[in-house]
Amino acid sequence: MPALLKNRDETISLLEDIARILELKGESVFKVRAYTNGARTLETFTGDFEELFTQQSLSDLPGMGDALTDKITTFVTTGSLPYFDELKRSVPEGLFDLFELQGLGPKKIKALWEQLNITTIDALETAAKDGSIAALKGFGS
């Protein structure tokens, strides 16, 4: 097996980002949960991450189905994942910055994006000041 290019933390981050994008796009809750659970499984894994791949035992971990195992293996061994690259291109890049703000999760970010076309922190600040966010269901002043 080739040398590993990505570590556990980068892999966890990738899975979390995929779950966020899928949720933003309105994908099935089960699909979103598969990536979230995969990230949690790797986060709580106490063994040797590199050995997990050299022994080809990733699929032995709870919740790691074939599709998820293949994607993780591709990312860890090649350093990239075309599936993620394609997903990322399907949403405005600035949306990822919104995830860093406390109190904004995927559902609220999706509402801001779809209803007010907010894709950046600057646009969010402007909409907050002019009161447009307060008018959205689930938001307030």
Side-chain angles (χ1 to χ4, degrees), residues 100-121:
E100 302 304 316
L101 301 175
Q102 186 174 353
L104 281 184
K107 288 179 181 155
K108 287 195 174 188
I109 292 172
K110 182 179 185 196
L112 291 167
W113 174 35
E114 289 179 345
Q115 296 176 42
L116 297 176
N117 199 31
I118 292 174
T119 60
T120 65
I121 291 175

Side-chain angles (χ1 to χ4, degrees), residues 4 32 44 49 51 61 73 88-89 106 123 134-135 138:
L4 302 181
V32 173
T44 58
F49 186 69
E51 187 175 311
L61 295 177
T73 301
K88 196 170 179 182
R89 283 191 299 271

Side-chain angles (χ1 to χ4, degrees), residues 1-21:
M1 181 166 236
L4 302 181
L5 298 175
K6 296 294 180 182
N7 66 33
R8 186 178 79 142
D9 291 341
E10 290 172 301
T11 305
I12 292 167
S13 180
L14 171 83
L15 296 177
E16 290 170 338
D17 285 348
I18 290 173
R20 287 175 178 155
I21 294 171

Side-chain angles (χ1 to χ4, degrees), residues 36-50:
T36 302
N37 290 345
R40 294 300 78 76
T41 296
L42 290 181
E43 200 170 55
T44 58
F45 175 68
T46 57
D48 183 304
F49 186 69
E50 188 167 337

